[in-house]
Amino acid sequence: MSASNQTSIKLVLLGEAAVGKSSLVLRFVSNDFQENKEPTIGAAFLTQKCTVNDRTIKFEIWDTAGQERFANLAHLYYRNAQAALVVYDVTKPASFIKARHWMKELKEQSTKNITIALIGNKYDLIMDETSGEEIDGARKVSIEEGKQLADEEGAVFFETSAKTSYNVNEVFMNIAETILEKMDNAKPDENPVAQTQNNNRIDLTAPSQNNINDNGCAC
Amino acid sequence: MSDRRPSIVERRPSSALSSRRPSIIPQLEGIEKPNTPNLPENMNVDVLICGTGLINSILAAALSWQGTSVLHIDSNPYYGDDSATLTIEQIKNWFIGSKFNKTGFKNYKNIHLYINDNDFNIVSKDYGIDLSPKILFPRSSLLDLLIKSRVYHYLEFQSLSNFHTFENNNLGKLNANKEDIFTSNEIDLNSKRKLMKFLKFISSPVIELPDNLPKDISIQNFLKKNFKLDDKLINEIIFTLGLINNPKIQLIDALNKIKRYILSFNIYGNFPTLYSKFGGPGEISQGFCRSAAVAGTIYKLNTKLKSYDFENKTAILNDGSNIKINERIISSLNQSINKPENCKFYEISRIIAIVDKSCNEWFQDGESSSIIIFPPNSLNSQNEYPVQCLIMGSETGCCPKGRSIWYLHTIAPTINDIAINDLNSALLKLEENYIRESTFNFNEFNDDDLNYYNNNKPILTESGSMKLSKSLLDFKFKFSNERINYLMKLSFTQLTNIDQLNPENINGYNKEILKTDNNIIIVNMPSSELSYDGIVEEAKKIYKEIVGDDSDFFNVDFEDEEEEIEISNELDAEIKAEVEEIINVDNNQTTQSNQQSEEFEMELES
Ligand SMILES: Nc1nc2c(ncn2[C@@H]2O[C@H](COP(=O)(O)OP(=O)(O)OP(=O)(O)O)[C@@H](O)[C@H]2O)c(=O)[nH]1
Ligand SMILES: [Mg+2]
């Protein structure tokens, strides 16, 4: 079975409305960008396969809705996630405060081993394309603030742009590498909650018809 | 209701939902507070659902996909209500809430909780403890619904093969797969023939009972008279394979329950049941809530119904909001303000124990859970009803390595402590058996009683299960200091309004719909049924009451709603190019990276 040498990573995106969560996913999954992306309702589920260090990784991505009215939903998604991207908009200070809140909540509520990345998105809005320098006053959250928050919570930090695709793949690759590393290093009895994903996982859409005589099946 | 509302798919894309809001910078004050959304003022919904238990959550999803606007609330800060999967901290809160009979915890009694925080460094969130654990038969209406609704995306399922029966002070495993029976040395040829005859009978598409059957013959007598099976086998078939907890069950119902086990083999593999990782009904409830949210259901936790004016169709919630209800309110019994009219209560008693043992000995290789059944009269307490146990190990994602969770329950009455005595008696037997099996010293034992596995690792029977042979049982094992320690032990009696001995409630649910005097629909508490059978039917029954018809229950074309995009991005470009080369240039030669290229081939095509 091809699934056996593939690692699934459940990843959830959290962050205030309109910071660009869905846009980051769209960039990663379809290498596309939409100027007027509609707000996410509830949450969206997407998958993306890629190869990291010769290993196939399947990202199972939960893109949650940032609007207030969906706030209670986030619980449903991060509980068993192995990775979380907490996203804010570098031009919106309030979105950074919200990000801080999400970092705190993740720490309290999620799986112990969760890998977190803090993302300051819409980096393109603070860059002057022609000069290659930052536009004066456009940036509302400093790199230092972002870094500090990430450090405090043991997260990695990136500034990204879903529009120009700056750093987007890097974020996902970094997450994948970190998780693979954690898996490889985990001593069998040190890893409190099972991380090995495909262990005895049954695919409900694949009923087996042929294994009547197959005692050596993978079950 | 005569007019059909357009479904959510038909309604979308509506301008109301897709217009980009102006970018509002939220006020800074108060934003550090927990994420509590406020409901819009003058909110107006078709249906308000109180409690996020399994049936309620299925209803929320089904209704909102159908086009009904739904507000779904729960008085607790977590999802799941009466079917929640809880952490240790949440269990503590549950205990307090239940002791004080608060909203959200209304139907529990005889509650005792023991937690050993001193000796064990308990990390609360490493645990997922189900208030009403369940397992899933591959051939069942819930499994069909999980696929149809696409909720299976959100979940992971694992196999559960080992069904043990406790008999003669010993845990045995019945081989109910035809091949296993053929190859088993445990069963003599004569019994094999009888058992095969029964299996043939039960697996036929329609069960045909002989004409000359005495009226009201019990399943026990039927098996004895018609198939000449011995008592031990009869017990295993009825209580272990059938997971029947009412010894007085009607014949045909019993046969159907046994049949679901037999038919479930070889659907996904050589095992009869599945369970969801990270928690049972609590996890599946959350899956349906996710689906409901995608269809537009609004969620608010920590919120309960305070009052409902049925005449004016207005509901007041404890957060002060005033909700106009166009159609109905549905509530779990746990979260309801009033009890339904003429409600009688019945009991399910449970013990949930977390122990400091992995219990791998009880699991099939590669698996992490098993079922253990104590049939009637198998315990020192002379139990009239069976005690059903579900053992969950660490690979279920519900506890750390080296620990396991034992769930025991019975529908025995609580008068004169009957139920708790049965449960404690069963718990003791589990302990004894576990110690005996795990501390057995193989070196001091006669080789004839063992079969050797590959790498000199001895196992006890050909099936790899922990069935101890007779002589092994008699063997006086050295006294050992080994003992089982409890990290947590919770015992309680859950009330339900379903009469579990009533033959009409075969799947654990009533036919009629319960209502309060102000016309709130009350959803039943979880039944004592260990499988998910009956859940979908219960949800459909209420769906029909609200929509008028259940033909469009989850009848949704998800095609463009939730696309699974699986295309490669540029990261794979290099490898893709390589593979393309292999495919084009070297068409008929298998290369080392064969497996890899096959996968990519599939991706390239899509
Ligand atoms: N300039 C710029 N605009 C962006 C970027 N990312 C997203 N946007 C725009 O910001 C708006 C919101 O993006 P979404 O991806 O829908 O935001 P979201 O976080 O998913 O929002 P919710 O689903 O409501 O939580 C859209 O109009 C995007 O086009 C970016 O990196 N740069
Ligand atoms: Mg979005």
Side-chain angles (χ1 to χ4, degrees):
Chain A
M1 239 199 281
S2 62
S4 55
N5 52 7
Q6 166 184 311
T7 309
S8 302
I9 295 181
K10 265 186 263 176
L11 180 146
V12 60
L13 286 101
L14 299 166
E16 195 176 68
V19 295
K21 296 181 293 298
S22 304
S23 302
L24 286 166
V25 178
L26 185 66
R27 174 60 76 191
F28 176 58
V29 171
S30 309
N31 199 11
D32 194 7
F33 179 75
Q34 289 167 7
E35 279 299 341
N36 281 305
K37 189 143 182 52
E38 67 284 353
T40 306
I41 305 296
F45 177 66
L46 298 97
T47 63
Q48 169 69 45
K49 272 189 203 159
C50 55
T51 309
V52 181
N53 307 337
D54 296 335
R55 283 154 86 169
T56 308
I57 303 283
K58 184 182 178 195
F59 278 106
E60 300 181 0
I61 303 170
W62 281 101
D63 171 24
T64 65
Q67 288 177 37
E68 274 299 298
R69 65 187 172 115
F70 296 114
N72 273 168
L73 279 174
H75 273 266
L76 294 174
Y77 302 99
Y78 60 66
R79 200 177 134 244
N80 300 318
Q82 291 144 297
L85 305 188
V86 176
V87 187
Y88 66 92
D89 176 342
V90 286
T91 67
K92 300 248 162 62
S95 74
F96 183 71
I97 297 173
K98 197 81 178 184
R100 177 178 295 153
H101 167 71
W102 280 122
M103 300 285 275
K104 221 167 62 195
E105 187 158 325
L106 276 176
K107 199 172 182 184
E108 284 163 16
Q109 311 271 348
S110 67
T111 331
K112 218 195 224 164
N113 257 324
I114 195 164
T115 303
I116 306 175
L118 178 66
I119 313 283
N121 189 37
K122 304 201 183 176
Y123 182 72
D124 60 287
L125 293 180
I126 57 172
M127 288 299 287
D128 186 331
E129 263 176 58
T130 41
S131 70
E133 276 170 27
E134 284 196 15
I135 303 163
D136 247 10
R139 175 192 276 283
K140 293 283 161 43
V141 183
S142 71
I143 295 187
E144 290 70 33
E145 278 176 291
K147 272 197 181 129
Q148 194 193 337
L149 175 58
D151 284 348
E152 280 167 16
E153 309 290 342
V156 288
F157 175 69
F158 283 94
E159 289 192 337
T160 60
S161 165
K163 188 172 180 176
T164 66
S165 84
Y166 171 68
N167 262 349
V168 176
N169 283 335
E170 283 75 0
V171 171
F172 287 90
M173 287 311 101
N174 185 291
I175 293 270
E177 279 165 10
T178 313
I179 287 181
L180 285 179
E181 219 167 274
K182 278 188 190 174
M183 280 169 130
D184 293 345
N185 294 343
K187 289 183 200 121
D189 40 275
E190 238 177 34
N191 191 6
V193 176
Q195 281 271 1
T196 39
Q197 277 284 297
N198 296 318
N199 192 354
N200 188 23
R201 182 173 180 175
I202 312 289
D203 181 1
L204 291 196
T205 54
S208 71
Q209 272 116 6
N210 53 343
N211 51 8
I212 307 290
N213 297 315
D214 182 8
N215 288 326
C217 80
C219 44
Chain B
M1 283 183 23
S2 47
D3 274 17
R4 307 262 327 109
R5 277 183 243 93
S7 81
I8 191 84
V9 183
E10 290 160 338
R11 285 205 218 158
R12 227 189 264 171
S14 76
S15 51
L17 289 178
S18 59
S19 70
R20 189 79 230 174
R21 66 213 163 268
S23 89
I24 330 150
I25 300 186
Q27 289 159 1
L28 290 181
E29 77 208 45
I31 206 161
E32 288 276 23
K33 275 200 257 152
N35 275 313
T36 34
N38 285 322
L39 296 174
E41 276 183 36
N42 303 322
M43 196 179 180
N44 183 321
V45 296
D46 295 335
V47 175
L48 167 66
I49 303 181
C50 309
T52 51
L54 183 52
I55 293 164
N56 299 36
S57 303
I58 294 175
L59 272 168
L63 286 168
S64 52
W65 280 111
Q66 183 271 341
T68 305
S69 69
V70 179
L71 171 62
H72 198 176
I73 61 175
D74 197 299
S75 61
N76 288 313
Y78 50 79
Y79 289 82
D81 190 19
D82 50 27
S83 33
T85 305
L86 303 176
T87 63
I88 301 276
E89 284 306 315
Q90 286 169 338
I91 284 282
K92 290 180 188 166
N93 287 329
W94 178 89
F95 172 74
I96 295 164
S98 303
K99 277 277 179 199
F100 291 100
N101 213 5
K102 288 201 219 159
T103 303
F105 311 93
K106 284 209 167 156
N107 297 286
Y108 308 98
K109 62 177 195 180
N110 306 332
I111 313 154
H112 300 278
L113 175 64
Y114 161 87
I115 292 182
N116 186 344
D117 246 332
N118 288 345
D119 298 339
F120 299 96
N121 211 347
I122 299 178
V123 180
S124 165
K125 64 185 181 186
D126 283 352
Y127 297 86
I129 300 152
D130 270 304
L131 288 178
S132 62
K134 287 188 188 296
I135 57 172
L136 182 65
F137 281 105
R139 193 159 283 179
S140 62
S141 51
L142 182 68
L143 193 132
D144 294 345
L145 185 62
L146 286 167
I147 292 175
K148 192 175 174 192
S149 64
R150 295 210 172 184
V151 167
Y152 74 89
H153 268 319
Y154 314 163
L155 302 161
E156 275 180 48
F157 288 89
Q158 298 180 323
S159 60
L160 193 175
S161 301
N162 279 7
F163 278 55
H164 303 278
T165 312
F166 180 81
E167 56 219 338
N168 304 327
N169 234 2
N170 172 19
L171 289 185
K173 198 193 108 179
L174 179 63
N175 299 309
N177 207 8
K178 285 178 191 141
E179 299 79 56
D180 288 350
I181 292 169
F182 273 129
T183 54
S184 172
N185 310 327
E186 305 269 319
I187 313 172
D188 63 65
L189 205 63
N190 198 14
S191 308
K192 260 183 206 176
R193 253 185 231 120
K194 293 177 194 162
L195 195 55
M196 290 307 290
K197 190 177 154 215
F198 172 70
L199 287 180
K200 211 174 147 207
F201 160 80
I202 196 99
S203 359
S204 66
V206 186
I207 297 179
E208 278 178 43
L209 294 177
D211 300 330
N212 55 350
L213 271 190
K215 203 174 166 282
D216 288 339
I217 184 176
S218 70
I219 174 75
Q220 287 86 347
N221 282 334
F222 175 73
L223 294 181
K224 195 178 268 173
K225 297 221 168 82
N226 286 268
F227 296 96
K228 310 275 180 299
L229 297 170
D230 65 33
D231 286 347
K232 174 174 165 277
L233 217 46
I234 288 177
N235 266 343
E236 296 193 24
I237 290 174
I238 300 176
F239 298 104
T240 308
L241 308 195
L243 292 178
I244 289 164
N245 53 28
N246 170 15
K248 297 182 194 92
I249 188 168
Q250 304 226 322
L251 176 61
I252 190 71
D253 298 334
L255 290 174
N256 279 321
K257 291 208 173 210
I258 297 162
K259 186 173 175 167
R260 67 183 172 178
Y261 176 98
I262 307 291
L263 291 188
S264 289
F265 268 106
N266 289 323
I267 291 192
Y268 292 107
N270 191 14
F271 51 83
T273 54
L274 301 163
Y275 61 88
S276 54
K277 199 175 173 181
F278 304 116
E283 199 54 25
I284 297 183
S285 306
Q286 295 195 30
F288 279 99
C289 289
R290 292 181 183 191
S291 169
V294 173
T297 295
I298 307 287
Y299 277 90
K300 191 154 188 272
L301 298 177
N302 277 314
T303 306
K304 58 189 171 195
L305 182 63
K306 262 182 85 181
S307 66
Y308 177 45
D309 180 344
F310 169 51
E311 302 286 303
N312 293 314
K313 299 235 161 201
T314 45
I316 298 175
L317 309 184
N318 67 330
D319 63 0
S321 46
N322 225 306
I323 316 279
K324 179 101 178 36
I325 310 290
N326 298 332
E327 286 170 32
R328 293 298 275 274
I329 296 184
I330 303 170
S331 176
S332 71
L333 197 54
N334 250 356
Q335 311 217 348
S336 160
I337 344 169
N338 310 326
K339 290 207 169 116
E341 291 162 321
N342 336 315
C343 186
K344 259 184 91 181
F345 284 108
Y346 305 89
E347 299 164 333
I348 306 167
S349 297
R350 301 181 189 273
I351 286 184
I352 303 173
I354 302 174
V355 301
D356 64 342
K357 297 286 179 283
S358 69
C359 292
N360 288 336
E361 290 84 349
W362 285 338
F363 308 146
Q364 179 111 332
D365 269 355
E367 293 191 356
S368 197
S369 77
S370 67
I371 296 281
I372 298 175
I373 302 295
F374 296 86
N377 270 315
S378 62
L379 292 165
N380 296 346
S381 59
Q382 318 264 276
N383 55 317
E384 185 188 343
Y385 295 88
V387 174
Q388 303 184 324
C389 310
L390 174 64
I391 310 290
M392 303 293 265
S394 64
E395 290 301 310
T396 65
C398 294
C399 66
K401 285 240 155 58
R403 309 270 144 94
S404 59
I405 310 181
W406 298 359
Y407 295 98
L408 296 81
H409 78 264
T410 178
I411 58 168
T414 54
I415 32 158
N416 300 329
D417 292 335
I418 294 175
I420 193 72
N421 287 342
D422 287 353
L423 291 174
N424 277 326
S425 218
L427 195 61
L428 201 69
K429 288 298 170 198
L430 285 178
E431 278 193 38
E432 280 177 11
N433 270 273
Y434 187 79
I435 299 285
R436 184 163 55 209
E437 290 164 16
S438 61
T439 60
F440 181 73
N441 186 344
F442 290 100
N443 298 330
E444 295 177 18
F445 196 66
N446 185 354
D447 273 4
D448 300 342
D449 286 287
L450 301 173
N451 296 321
Y452 280 89
Y453 214 53
N454 286 341
N455 40 4
N456 267 0
K457 181 187 152 212
I459 56 164
L460 295 173
T461 67
E462 76 280 0
S463 67
S465 77
M466 283 310 294
K467 179 150 191 160
L468 301 173
S469 66
K470 278 247 149 35
S471 57
L472 178 56
L473 243 191
D474 298 336
F475 182 78
K476 304 261 181 312
F477 58 96
K478 272 199 187 142
F479 178 76
S480 92
N481 302 327
E482 185 79 25
R483 54 168 297 181
I484 286 177
N485 296 300
Y486 290 91
L487 283 75
M488 185 201 88
K489 190 173 157 190
L490 171 66
S491 59
F492 62 96
T493 298
Q494 179 214 304
L495 300 177
T496 171
N497 43 313
I498 311 151
D499 179 359
Q500 296 151 103
L501 300 180
N502 181 341
E504 300 215 324
N505 304 333
I506 175 63
N507 277 328
Y509 291 99
N510 297 339
K511 288 217 173 62
E512 65 271 20
I513 291 178
L514 296 164
K515 287 167 202 162
T516 62
D517 54 6
N518 57 353
N519 210 25
I520 295 175
I521 296 176
I522 300 294
V523 180
N524 281 313
M525 289 287 287
S527 75
S528 57
E529 171 65 42
L530 189 55
S531 81
Y532 287 97
D533 289 6
I535 299 274
V536 175
E537 291 70 20
E538 174 77 358
K540 270 192 180 167
K541 178 183 82 182
I542 297 169
Y543 180 91
K544 194 170 172 185
E545 169 84 5
I546 291 173
V547 179
D549 177 4
D550 66 8
S551 62
D552 59 352
F553 185 83
F554 263 112
N555 202 358
V556 188
D557 181 10
F558 286 101
E559 219 75 69
D560 46 356
E561 277 301 309
E562 199 187 284
E563 243 176 311
E564 198 173 319
I565 308 170
E566 269 200 36
I567 43 170
S568 312
N569 67 357
E570 6 168 74
L571 289 163
D572 294 334
E574 263 182 53
I575 305 159
K576 229 156 94 175
E578 261 179 51
V579 174
E580 238 156 338
E581 252 185 81
I582 297 169
I583 296 167
N584 294 337
V585 179
D586 208 357
N587 233 339
N588 44 9
Q589 199 187 325
T590 31
T591 59
Q592 282 169 313
S593 57
N594 194 10
Q595 200 178 15
Q596 238 192 358
S597 51
E598 258 170 50
E599 251 192 77
F600 280 108
E601 221 170 332
M602 280 166 55
E603 278 187 25
L604 288 170
E605 275 165 18
S606 62

